[in-house]
Amino acid sequence: MASISDFASDYTSYIAATFVVFLFVFRLYSTERADIAKIPLIDGSSTSQNPLAYYLGVVRFLVDANEIVLHAYNANPTSGIVRIPRLFGWHYLIWGEQHVREIASAPEHVLGFNAATAEELQTKWTVGRQITDDAWHANTVRGSLTRNLSRCFPEVRDEIVLAFDEILGKQLDGTEWKAFRIQEMTMQIVARTSNRLFVGVPLCRVPEWIQMNIDYTINAFVRAQIISLLPEFTKPIIAPLISSKNRSLRHALRFLLPVLKERLESELVQGKERPDRPNDLISWLLDYAPDYERDEKAIALRILAVNASAIHTSSTARLAALTMALFDLAAYPEHIGPMREEVERVIASEGWTRAALKQMHKLDSFLRESLRLGVVVMARRVMRPEGFTFSDGTSIPQGAIMSVPSYAIQINPASFADPMKFDGFRFSRARDSESDHQC
């Protein structure tokens, strides 16, 4: 008699086999538009409709993406547009000064950065339709958060210092070297510092709240990769079963419900002008929230979404910058002295302010050098029905995702002298040289 585990194994195999057959049939009957067929594949192979050749290309790129991108770029480093095979369509890789300028200058409704991010994170399912279809909270981030950053900078700085002391202090006793998982540590610090602005003290210091936001972000990203493998017509049925959004929201409300109830009641009774109104994300969201979303559950979901954006490694540079900078500080300690001298000098003159950070040219240069060798940047989704046509006549269809191969460009000797060498003050020297010429 077959066991339940045997049945489950057979059922899983059946589903997997059905999915593979579906992919082959889907590719077999897919037709390529003539303008798309003219764009070469990234590995230079045939654009044949042969499903086996197509999906072998998908696997090759997953296994050896960096080498394939470098080979395509080096074949014509001046300018290029190539296609990368994905399960259900093409990704487009673009480079060349003119092409990049056209991408950068295109408005959001033509080439959408937010839409490309939503595609990567499958936000419709992992974060919620109400977030993607009615992103009013974006005005809060662009408006209130940006306006209040200088005003809130001392609080953020204090939280950074306290977070480093507590997170590192738990493991350092001053007697020996310790090993750290840098990415885990930086996620904790970024999440805690961000939440000083988002929900304030004391909630930003509650370990369970911080860990819940980190777990939600990681789960959303991992599950988005799974959902992205599904055919579009199956997502309304299957994606909600995969997404952790509802469970995470219930968990978040355990922390947020008392806070949000009190804040909403205070808004009704005392209004927005009360002198003790907290200057944080909750208040800023209430400034913009439409009447149909002025409730605890809706505001909590927006806070989760903003937290995910702040913590997620692919959509923000902060976490990557901090992680890579710490690695590079350990690898190239000769940069520490000059940067420390610059920071101490600027702080003695300006204090801990946002304006002071702009005067730390060596520190800025070191961070830029740490991030210089990213793989791809400038992801955009084509928004208009007629697609997007470059000045050379190459047309990319609506819905397609395009990006720029940053790593290949950055290691090109035409872009930088000795590009594979880490030079922490590369950009500050260039700035100083430019200033000297202007004088």
Side-chain angles (χ1 to χ4, degrees):
M1 182 175 177
S3 66
I4 294 177
S5 61
D6 290 336
F7 174 78
S9 177
D10 291 344
Y11 184 74
T12 303
S13 299
Y14 172 77
I15 293 296
T18 302
F19 182 66
V20 170
V21 171
F22 171 83
L23 287 177
F24 271 73
V25 173
F26 172 83
R27 190 64 210 161
L28 188 64
Y29 288 97
S30 296
T31 57
E32 291 181 0
R33 284 171 30 183
D35 54 345
I36 297 175
K38 293 177 182 177
I39 301 174
L41 269 69
I42 189 168
D43 60 359
S45 61
S46 168
T47 57
S48 168
Q49 291 291 99
N50 183 323
L52 181 59
Y54 180 89
Y55 288 113
L56 283 176
V58 173
V59 173
R60 275 199 303 271
F61 190 77
L62 288 174
V63 171
D64 203 12
N66 224 23
E67 284 303 313
I68 293 174
V69 170
L70 281 172
H71 184 270
Y73 175 82
N74 289 333
N76 183 16
T78 304
S79 182
I81 299 178
V82 297
R83 289 182 289 166
I84 301 171
R86 306 297 293 269
L87 279 181
F88 295 104
W90 302 99
H91 182 102
Y92 296 83
L93 211 58
I94 320 289
W95 66 90
E97 185 177 347
Q98 180 60 31
H99 288 150
V100 172
R101 187 181 297 115
E102 291 174 39
I103 294 173
S105 61
E108 181 73 17
H109 70 275
V110 176
L111 294 180
F113 167 76
N114 292 326
T117 302
E119 177 74 16
E120 180 194 9
L121 291 178
Q122 294 289 312
T123 53
K124 183 189 298 184
W125 312 110
T126 58
V127 179
R129 278 182 176 272
Q130 60 268 57
I131 299 293
T132 56
D133 295 347
D134 186 11
W136 57 262
H137 65 285
N139 294 324
T140 300
V141 176
R142 285 194 297 263
S144 298
L145 179 58
T146 302
R147 272 197 317 272
N148 283 281
L149 202 52
S150 294
R151 185 176 161 191
C152 296
F153 187 83
E155 296 176 18
V156 173
R157 182 261 177 190
D158 289 345
E159 201 62 41
I160 291 172
V161 172
L162 192 59
F164 266 103
D165 285 346
E166 291 188 6
I167 293 170
L168 290 177
K170 291 176 182 177
Q171 303 182 59
L172 292 177
D173 56 16
T175 59
E176 59 182 18
W177 287 94
K178 298 285 185 179
F180 290 93
R181 294 185 180 274
I182 295 295
Q183 189 160 343
E184 291 179 11
M185 182 189 75
T186 52
M187 287 182 85
Q188 289 280 339
I189 292 169
V190 168
R192 177 164 163 176
T193 304
S194 300
N195 274 275
R196 178 67 181 263
L197 282 176
F198 296 167
V199 297
V201 178
L203 188 53
C204 73
R205 296 172 185 168
V206 176
E208 294 80 10
W209 165 254
I210 296 302
Q211 192 59 50
M212 188 277 299
N213 278 287
I214 292 172
D215 292 343
Y216 169 65
T217 303
I218 294 172
N219 277 331
F221 178 72
V222 171
R223 291 165 194 251
Q225 307 313 301
I226 299 171
I227 294 170
S228 68
L229 299 177
L230 300 173
E232 200 63 37
F233 71 88
T234 68
K235 289 180 183 178
I237 300 170
I238 302 176
L241 303 176
I242 299 173
S243 172
S244 63
K245 172 182 72 73
N246 292 335
R247 183 170 67 253
S248 296
L249 179 58
R250 288 193 296 272
H251 193 181
L253 284 170
R254 288 174 44 204
F255 299 96
L256 289 174
L257 195 57
V259 177
L260 294 177
K261 277 184 177 294
E262 186 276 326
R263 299 287 284 274
L264 284 164
E265 290 172 3
S266 296
E267 292 282 314
L268 285 173
V269 175
Q270 302 177 55
K272 298 178 180 179
E273 304 304 322
R274 69 184 190 277
D276 63 339
R277 189 181 193 232
N279 190 28
D280 60 16
L281 179 67
I282 298 175
S283 293
W284 306 333
L285 287 171
L286 292 176
D287 287 339
Y288 285 93
D291 291 340
Y292 56 83
E293 289 229 332
R294 294 184 72 84
D295 63 75
E296 295 86 353
K297 185 176 179 180
I299 299 297
L301 189 59
R302 302 283 165 169
I303 293 172
L304 270 180
V306 175
N307 252 304
S309 296
I311 298 169
H312 175 50
T313 58
S314 295
S315 60
T316 60
R318 288 181 298 171
L319 185 55
L322 180 55
T323 301
M324 294 308 300
L326 289 172
F327 280 127
D328 287 329
L329 275 178
Y332 308 102
E334 65 273 15
H335 294 81
I336 295 175
M339 284 195 292
R340 186 187 297 276
E341 184 279 326
E342 177 184 69
V343 170
E344 291 175 345
R345 173 172 46 80
V346 172
I347 295 305
S349 173
E350 302 290 334
W352 278 105
T353 64
R354 190 182 179 192
L357 292 180
K358 295 180 180 180
Q359 297 184 36
M360 299 178 188
H361 300 160
K362 286 187 173 64
L363 178 61
D364 176 74
S365 176
F366 188 89
L367 293 174
R368 288 175 65 185
E369 181 73 354
S370 289
L371 288 173
R372 184 169 61 87
L373 300 182
V375 179
V376 295
V377 294
M378 291 181 68
R380 298 290 190 273
R381 184 184 183 120
V382 180
M383 305 300 292
R384 295 190 298 189
E386 65 271 28
F388 181 81
T389 302
F390 287 93
S391 57
D392 64 1
T394 304
S395 183
I396 310 294
Q398 182 186 29
I401 304 293
M402 63 175 74
S403 56
V404 176
S406 174
Y407 178 77
I409 296 171
Q410 297 290 340
I411 66 170
N412 186 343
S415 300
F416 293 99
D418 202 358
M420 296 305 293
K421 176 186 176 183
F422 182 89
D423 182 356
F425 300 145
R426 181 191 303 273
F427 297 100
S428 59
R429 282 199 309 274
R431 185 200 293 259
D432 294 341
S433 176
E434 184 178 326
S435 298
D436 291 342
H437 286 312
Q438 290 176 352
C439 293

